[in-house]
Amino acid sequence: MSVELDVFVGNTTIMDKEVYQLWLNGYTVNDAVKVRIEGGVMEECEASAEVLLSDTMDQYRTFQMCERLLHHPAKLANQLLFQIPPDRQAMLIERYYAFDDSFVREVLGKKLSKGTKKDLDDVSTKTGITLKSCRRQFDNFKRVFKVVEELKGPLVENIRQHFLLPDQLARDYAAIVFFANNRFETGKKKLHYLTFQDFAFCAGQLINNWTLGAVDNIMEDMDVDLDKEFLQELKDLKILITDKDLLDQHKSLVCTALRGKTNVFNEMEANFKNLSRGLVNIAAKLINAKDVRDFFIDLVEKFIEPFSLCLLYMGVIKSCILRMYHD
Amino acid sequence: MPGKLKAKIVAGRHLPVMDRASDLTDAFVEVKFGNTTFKTDVYPKSLNPQWNSEWFKFEVDDEDLQDEPLQITVLDHDTYSANDAIGKVYIDIDPLLCSEAATVISGWLPIYDTIHGIRGEINVLVKVDLFNDLNRFRQSSCGVKFFCTTSIPRCYRAIMVHGFVEELVVNEDPEYQWIDRIRTPRASNEARQRLIFLMSGELQRKIGLKVLEMGGNAVVGYLQCFDLEGESGLVVRAIGTACTLEKISSTLPATATHPSNSSPSKDMKEPGFGEEAPGVPLSSGPPTPLRAQTFSSFSPSKSYSRQSSSSDTELSLTPKTVGIFLFPSTPALESESSPLPSAHLPHHLWPGMASRSTTPPPLRLSQSDTAILRKSVSFSEELLLAASGMGSGGSAGKEGGPLKALLRQQTQSALEQRGVSSSSEAFVRTGEYPFFTLAAFPPGFLLHVGGVVSARSVKLLDRIHNPDEPETRDAWWEEIRQEIKSHAKALGCHAVVGYSESTSICEEVCILSASGTAAILSSRFMQDGPLDTEHRLSRQPLCVFSTGSERVEGDMGSSASLGFEEVVSPGCGFCHIPYDELNIPFPAQLTYCYCCRRYKVPDVLFTTIDLPTEANVTGKGCLIQARLCRTKKKAQGEGNATVISNLLPFLEYELHTQLMNKLKLRGMNALFGLRIQISVGETMLLGLASATGVYLTALPSPGGIQIAGKTPSDITYEQHISNMQKKINDTIAKNKELYEINPPEVVEEIIGSPIPEPRQRSRLFRSQSESSDEVSELDLSHGKKDAFVLEIDDTDAVEDIHALLTDSPTPAGFYSCNTEIMPGIQNWTSAIQMFTSVRVFRLNANLTNQGLNKIFSDLCENLLKSLYFKLRSMVPCCLCHLNFTVAIPEDELIQVAVTAVAMSFDKEQLLENGKQSGEKTLIKAITENDEQLQFNLELNAETSAPNPLSSPKGLSEVGSHLSARASSVDYSSFADRCSSWIEQLKLKAHTIRRGSVKTTSSMEKASPLPEGRSRSLRSNRSYSGSSVAVVKMTPLSFIPGAKIIKYLGIINMFFIRETTSLREEGGVSGFLHTFIAEVFAMVRAHVAALGGNAVVSYSMKECVFMENPNKNQAQCLINVSGDAVMFVRESELESTSVQTQSATTHTSNGAEGT
């Protein structure tokens, strides 16, 4: 004896946010039921486990049917199959495209290829996020990437329009796409301390300033790629370290600008030459794709580390000296 | 005469990829109507083609316009091979043929493929230019409006209600044609879909013609069903109520009242079936002059019946009675009286013979239609007799085994009578039925309600030889309707309201069922035929009576309808018994009405209609279901039919028992919207009865339920009993609290019911009827003298009690009902959620009846629980119009489908009665000029005489006045008998006759008017709905918080979906889920294309699901219908508020017209 078939279809599609989240998180039906039972729905609504199971299966099915629409959120609004109120649609989309920071850190800057996808089970084990959820997130990245890749115009805006995402989420996706496109290396151990939001911020800066779209505002520009000409021109920066006059001039300008605004000003001033060299070297190499990828690692290795080393050294020395200095 | 149909294909979107190489599609469109086809250009390489075609014009007959759908096929052009079909759209252009409905169809419609489901959408424009047709002999009926709504549609008012229209068309089922072996499933599905479209078009046209002949302009309560008879064919049938409607100008709320005629219709007890009247003159009875008169008055209908009535049937049907009159009291006679259907054949089957020979050849002969095996169902020998009398060849009867002897005894007489009465029925000519498919009425229309009448018949299907002459099926239905009519008559009623018909088919056995509520209607809306002197005559006596506060009993029933009465009590008038008190068809206890104290009411009332809005109700209502599952032996053909026939009476009886028990358990005294569905499978029968229980203030408070053990010796046993008793008492108390049933205490003045017996009360007996003495002994009752006594001697009873107690209460915040509105709740918000839920349950083999029952009951209960859970966010809310459909798709599978709407309401203002006073006055006003139906019967003369006896039998017995009189005491219309039987015993009576099993539960009366909705409307008006571009769907006839301003046409769609990759589509659940969602989507899209924003009176009439998991296949057929409407939020109407307000009020009261 068993229920062979069990469906519920509402004229307005009924979707429970909680179950949706469980589904997105990749829970199996049974696990989801367990979670719900623990959540206390049963007592609230005088329901039995059976009822809960039936409801959960039904919702899961609904979500699965909706999923292909969610792949093209614009379709969700003008499809006829499900009647979903607009606010619900927005919720569905937003949550579907939401991702875990810990997951995105794992794939940020990686090529969104089948190979990467195959490795998702490792990511899953590492992050504790279900494989299913990892796949969904990965596919989302890839889908957004594919759609936006060839589009002209501002990246964030494109994403927002095509995927109907809220602003912040669209920016995050822009960052992901941008990183994936330029294959920035983010996985090295030295970069582990950086959060996705750190990178997203940087991506935002790069997109706004270093891409074609940034240079002139013509719509046909693309935001995904770094402006080659600009990178080419960065080579010329070398002069800042090769030419003594320019170096000094650079230093004085920077120092004027920063004086009083940072508490490590003195250190900075003292090491300006080294720091500047580091930066200029990074900039000058950016014309090579390989070096673009290493951009962040280079920044850390060639600038932040030396500088913080220096800071660290200076700090220790300073405190030692102060201690040793008995009036 | 011709019309010009114009179609333009604008664009497509979301098309599927048809060319793997390019991931694109080269789409073009074929537009076909009748035999003409146009094509658009190919729009290459796009999933969103822009065809922007010219206008394709079809010049066609309007007959074709009605019959044919516009067929749009989207294809993928392929240079080298055949073009691939992407999918199709069928557009029913009927709404465009009526000036008041839609004028254009324009919008995005889903492209549907029977294998792949929805594949993109197409944007089309369709218009029709219709030339006026002056041809009197035309075959088309353009312009007749159709409504699924079972009340007068809002924004119309009824000028005249003409009566019952029915038609059926048959054809071969393409799926069973030889060609099906060589064509693809897709082709076969499409052939079927198209055929059904055509057939329903034709059916609608034919019904329209009948309506025109009757002088009407609309069909309300249009109910179309199809029967998949497999090998033997495909039947599409429809019934409805012909009306003349007038559109209410939007601003002016029509007050319902138009006294169109002032014919004093108060029929006496003999409320004749007005409509029948025309047909009356049968060979049998020399038509009395009176009859003739009536006849004339009804002329319009008569002509109708003559001309258009479904043809051939009449012959076979009208049993010309062979002049045999049965004396009810003498069983022996019955056997003789076998008015065989065919008048010409002289054969009377003797009971004995009949029983033995299952298919009496003579029968066949007699019924030209033949091929039909009449099975008689009988559970007692007498019954058998009766059956044979009816000409049924069925046997079976002999082993009535299971029934207890007592029961048998009691029933016997009833049965006998039935036999008699049925034979007497024969006198009445068929062809005209005073039936109304409406379930709600304008105030003042429904005067009295007698109780539920129903009839069933088991038939063997045989191939339909000539589709053009569907006489067999017609005859079957005629037979059943005839029976219904006679039941109603027996209840002293001249009309049947809330009437519906259904079938259940398994292999070659088919159960036909019909049920309705016997009632007396006001003539105000009826034909305004000439009021003959007759009427006056009849009326006079009434007046006389009515003047006195007490009437002579004889007249009471009918006279109750007199205008005077209404003045007294609009809220209770419909409860007053229509039948003659002295001649109560069944022993029921009557008391004076608890509202007006002037007229008698029964103790319990069962009806198939909606609760009249003006009814005085105490507390809230709730859904009550009786569920039953019985195993049956596998059998073939006739044997199978016999087995089924034998089981049916028991099934019905038990369902009835359960209903009654559950009603009592909830402390209520009336059922509305009663719907009993019997479904047949290879190895079992399923019965599901659903209704909405309420406490009618006018009726006496129900007694409790008493449990009695029969063998009192054992102490533990006694304890057990007292425990159960306590539980039951507790439950009753709890329920009363839950449903807020606190009727004002009234001093009981018991009016002696004419029936001397103590058991008159509704004692519930399972089967044992020895009753009378026990009652007195068992006076432990629940405080009231009338307790049900449940004997738990037999296991059945124990089972019953368990069933009673296991029904779990609805969770807090939820209410449920299967009617349009829930008494006690009016302030609906605009939040509504229509849904369909389907479950299929697989059984283990070898279950006992009890096990089966439990499983079935749990299945329904769990389904309800799931619904409550799903809809928890809408609390407080009420599930309205809960419509359960059960089926046995194959052995060991039970399918339950539910469609309903959840409506939130505002807890704050649970006002209930405010309106009533207003209504009352209105009604009063109305009723003053009101008259009863004119269906005066032939017997008027007789009736007018205060002779109580004669009346009930009147019609049927015309021929045999003498006998009738003589036997008057137990006058025998079998309906009555049954009912009495039922009531008293809780038995449902079954008659078998001609192989048909009929049941009449004559209980209570039903309610009159349909205002309910408007009520809710009004209360909601304050809510503003967000106006999203959505299409609302609801099984109700109204949308809370909104006003329907236009009816755009009927939606009647039929889809087939099939898959050969079941697993890939998510298994059976995934498959069906998608399909139902697709059906919803298509309905919404078509409504939107008509310019509407809602579907009301939506129903899923068929959901046939078949699977073959081994082959990874499944197939499903769904038929849905409803009315496309355009509504506006009341908040948007606010500007006109004052006016509207009053308007609404009026409308709510009065006119359905709203």
Side-chain angles (χ1 to χ4, degrees), chain A residues 4-256:
Chain A
E4 177 129 335
L5 179 157
D6 179 8
V7 300
F8 175 100
V9 189
N11 182 38
T12 302
T13 308
I14 294 186
M15 294 173 168
D16 184 307
K17 281 188 192 174
E18 186 206 359
V19 184
Y20 186 50
Q21 197 55 55
L22 293 171
W23 177 73
L24 290 175
N25 290 350
Y27 283 71
T28 62
V29 172
N30 287 333
D31 290 346
V33 170
K34 266 181 223 153
V35 173
R36 296 183 78 186
I37 290 177
E38 284 158 17
V41 197
M42 272 167 57
E43 290 73 33
E44 264 171 54
C45 312
E46 308 171 36
S48 65
E50 232 171 59
V51 166
L52 223 51
L53 177 66
S54 149
D55 178 60
T56 311
M57 296 226 286
D58 209 73
Q59 302 249 5
Y60 266 50
R61 207 163 38 232
T62 308
F63 300 141
Q64 272 151 23
M65 289 163 65
C66 277
E67 191 165 13
R68 70 187 170 80
L69 295 169
L70 287 166
H71 292 169
H72 312 279
K75 272 191 191 168
L76 196 62
N78 62 12
Q79 52 86 30
L80 302 178
L81 192 55
F82 298 102
Q83 188 157 275
I84 307 172
D87 57 319
R88 279 274 133 155
Q89 290 183 16
M91 183 278 290
L92 286 178
I93 296 169
E94 182 172 350
R95 294 212 185 178
Y96 190 79
Y97 282 89
F99 50 81
D100 294 298
D101 279 2
S102 59
F103 171 79
V104 74
R105 272 303 273 108
E106 294 298 321
V107 296
L108 194 61
K110 283 187 184 155
K111 193 175 175 191
L112 299 175
S113 63
K114 284 193 179 148
T116 315
K117 195 172 177 182
K118 266 184 203 151
D119 298 336
L120 286 183
D121 38 0
D122 293 340
V123 177
S124 168
T125 333
K126 190 171 167 191
T127 57
I129 298 167
T130 61
L131 182 57
K132 213 177 149 210
S133 177
C134 289
R135 291 206 171 122
R136 185 197 91 237
Q137 298 182 36
F138 181 83
D139 288 341
N140 283 343
F141 297 163
K142 189 168 173 180
R143 193 175 318 110
V144 173
F145 181 88
K146 283 213 152 179
V147 168
V148 163
E149 196 180 22
E150 302 298 327
L151 287 179
K152 319 265 171 176
L155 182 56
V156 176
E157 197 48 40
N158 281 342
I159 293 175
R160 199 166 28 207
Q161 276 183 8
H162 276 83
F163 292 91
L164 309 175
L165 299 179
D167 191 59
Q168 184 52 48
L169 197 54
R171 286 177 194 285
D172 289 348
Y173 267 93
I176 293 164
V177 168
F178 187 72
F179 268 69
N181 189 52
N182 294 291
R183 312 275 299 284
F184 290 114
E185 174 61 69
T186 64
K188 285 273 159 55
K189 208 163 186 187
K190 282 180 179 168
L191 296 177
H192 276 183
Y193 73 97
L194 290 170
T195 66
F196 169 72
Q197 284 309 325
D198 295 333
F199 284 117
F201 176 82
C202 299
Q205 296 297 311
L206 296 182
I207 292 169
N208 284 339
N209 301 300
W210 287 10
T211 59
L212 274 174
V215 183
D216 48 80
N217 281 328
I218 303 167
M219 282 304 280
E220 66 205 36
D221 295 332
M222 312 226 296
D223 265 357
V224 205
D225 296 314
L226 291 170
D227 182 355
K228 287 269 157 51
E229 271 178 48
F230 168 72
L231 296 181
Q232 189 70 37
E233 286 164 10
L234 282 178
K235 266 189 176 173
D236 301 341
L237 284 179
K238 282 217 164 171
I239 201 163
L240 285 178
I241 43 177
T242 50
D243 186 314
K244 189 77 166 68
D245 288 348
L246 283 177
L247 189 137
D248 290 342
Q249 198 181 338
H250 181 216
K251 179 177 177 181
S252 70
L253 284 172
V254 172
C255 289
T256 314

Side-chain angles (χ1 to χ4, degrees), chain B residues 292-329:
Chain B
Q293 287 182 2
T294 17
F295 187 78
S296 59
S297 64
F298 284 90
S299 53
S301 50
K302 151 219 230 157
S303 61
Y304 151 61
S305 65
R306 291 256 169 96
Q307 301 187 355
S308 49
S309 67
S310 37
S311 50
D312 354 39
T313 51
E314 304 224 43
L315 275 188
S316 58
L317 253 202
T318 55
K320 332 278 261 348
T321 53
V322 194
I324 295 171
F325 301 132
L326 305 184
F327 302 84
S329 46

Side-chain angles (χ1 to χ4, degrees), chain A residues 4 9 11-12 16 55, chain B residues 833-834 840 842 870 872 1107:
Chain A
E4 177 129 335
V9 189
N11 182 38
T12 302
D16 184 307
D55 178 60
Chain B
Q833 167 69 288
M834 189 282 295
V840 175
R842 184 172 291 282
K870 284 248 181 234
R872 63 193 185 280
E1107 57 168 328

Side-chain angles (χ1 to χ4, degrees), chain B residues 869-886:
Chain B
F869 182 75
K870 284 248 181 234
L871 299 162
R872 63 193 185 280
S873 65
M874 297 186 70
V875 164
C877 92
C878 179
L879 304 191
C880 294
H881 214 282
L882 268 168
N883 187 5
F884 276 70
T885 326
V886 292

Side-chain angles (χ1 to χ4, degrees), chain B residues 713-752:
Chain B
S713 51
D714 191 347
I715 290 195
T716 53
Y717 185 65
E718 298 239 301
Q719 246 171 1
H720 176 62
I721 288 185
S722 69
N723 275 344
M724 279 211 276
Q725 181 71 57
K726 182 161 183 306
K727 252 192 217 164
I728 287 184
N729 292 347
D730 290 350
T731 315
I732 293 180
K734 229 191 312 174
N735 279 330
K736 282 192 172 174
E737 199 177 314
L738 181 61
Y739 300 114
E740 301 164 25
I741 300 176
N742 318 301
E745 270 307 312
V746 192
V747 188
E748 293 252 343
E749 336 149 14
I750 304 180
I751 310 223

Side-chain angles (χ1 to χ4, degrees), chain B residues 271-278 298 301 432 434 494 933-937:
Chain B
F273 292 56
E275 306 196 336
E276 279 174 17
F298 284 90
S301 50
E432 285 272 88
H494 59 216
L933 260 203
Q934 339 213 12
F935 302 146
N936 275 338
L937 289 212

